[in-house]
Structure formats: structure tokens, C-alpha cells
Amino acid sequence: MTRAVYDEIIRDSLEKRPNETCGLLSGRNGSAQTVWRMENTLKSPVAFAMDPKQIQYVFHKMALRGEHLVGIYHSHPTAPPIPSPEDIAYCHYPEAAYLIVSLASPQPVLGCFRIEGSFARVYPYTVRN
């Protein structure tokens, strides 16, 4: 992902604290180039959900840009950057990387995973300028 994408994910997470934030990432060739901030319809510090109509609208905008879904991000305001059982259970896009920003320590920490079935495995990522 680009530095701008990384910075936007962290900024969104900090701005929405104490609630979880959520969003989609689109790009080409597996590289996140665009951040789509989404509304957390649950407005909760321990869970998130996205509006299906907003998701469809964003997918349409992605297609117009020639991009496709490459990642989904959300924050854990007080928990580590690992998928919760709920994150795994509600994974609807196994082809996407799942990024989780932990705000539990003074410095935000980003974890990245692939979720397949009931398993989450660490997925390497790079931040480039």
C-alpha cells in the first residue's frame, strides 16, 4: 500500500475513536491505492458493520476507477490487532486482505490477515512512498 493509504487508515481510526472505524481499500494488482471510509452502522467500540447499500455504491465507484476490492480495514480501540472470532465469522470477502488497527497502545499498530473459513493467517504487507 502507499504511505498515503496507510496514513489515511490510521487517521480514520484515530478520528472515530472510541468507536471502531471501518472502510474498504481498492486498487490494482493487489496494491491498495484508494481508501473508502465507511460508516460503522453499529457505532460501537467493540464491533462494526457496513451498510450494504453503501458497499454497493463504493463497489460501483471502484469499477469506474478501474480498481477492485483489495482490502477491508477496521480498528480495535482497546484490543490487539488480530481478528476476533466475530471478525472471522463475518468475513464475506476471503479474497481481500483484512487490516486491523489497534489503538490499545500509544502508537497505533496495524495487523494484516487473510481469513479463509475459520482460520486467519498473517498476511505480509509493505508501505511504500
Side-chain angles (χ1 to χ4, degrees):
M1 75 182 83
T2 65
R3 170 60 60 185
V5 165
Y6 176 87
D7 290 346
E8 181 67 12
I9 293 168
I10 300 299
R11 186 172 27 260
D12 188 29
S13 299
L14 292 169
E15 288 175 7
K16 303 288 175 45
R17 185 172 47 181
N19 291 331
E20 288 194 7
T21 193
C22 54
L24 304 176
L25 304 172
S26 65
R28 298 177 192 91
N29 303 318
S31 177
Q33 299 166 334
T34 307
V35 176
W36 304 90
R37 288 184 176 205
M38 303 294 282
E39 177 187 355
N40 177 355
T41 59
L42 299 180
K43 296 176 178 34
S44 166
V46 295
F48 78 95
M50 298 181 202
D51 178 348
K53 289 182 182 176
Q54 187 182 20
I55 292 171
Q56 289 307 313
Y57 173 78
V58 169
F59 279 5
H60 174 72
K61 298 293 267 184
M62 287 178 192
L64 292 175
R65 294 172 66 107
E67 297 180 355
H68 62 277
L69 180 70
V70 296
I72 298 169
Y73 73 91
H74 74 281
S75 63
H76 284 178
T78 60
I82 59 173
S84 68
E86 292 80 12
D87 294 336
I88 294 170
Y90 294 110
C91 171
H92 298 296
Y93 301 95
E95 72 281 3
Y98 279 76
L99 294 89
I100 302 171
V101 177
S102 173
L103 302 174
S105 61
Q107 192 70 17
V109 178
L110 180 67
C112 185
F113 301 86
R114 284 285 187 171
I115 300 174
E116 297 168 354
S118 60
F119 298 99
R121 62 180 168 85
V122 173
Y123 190 69
Y125 70 93
T126 57
V127 178
R128 65 186 193 297
N129 291 326

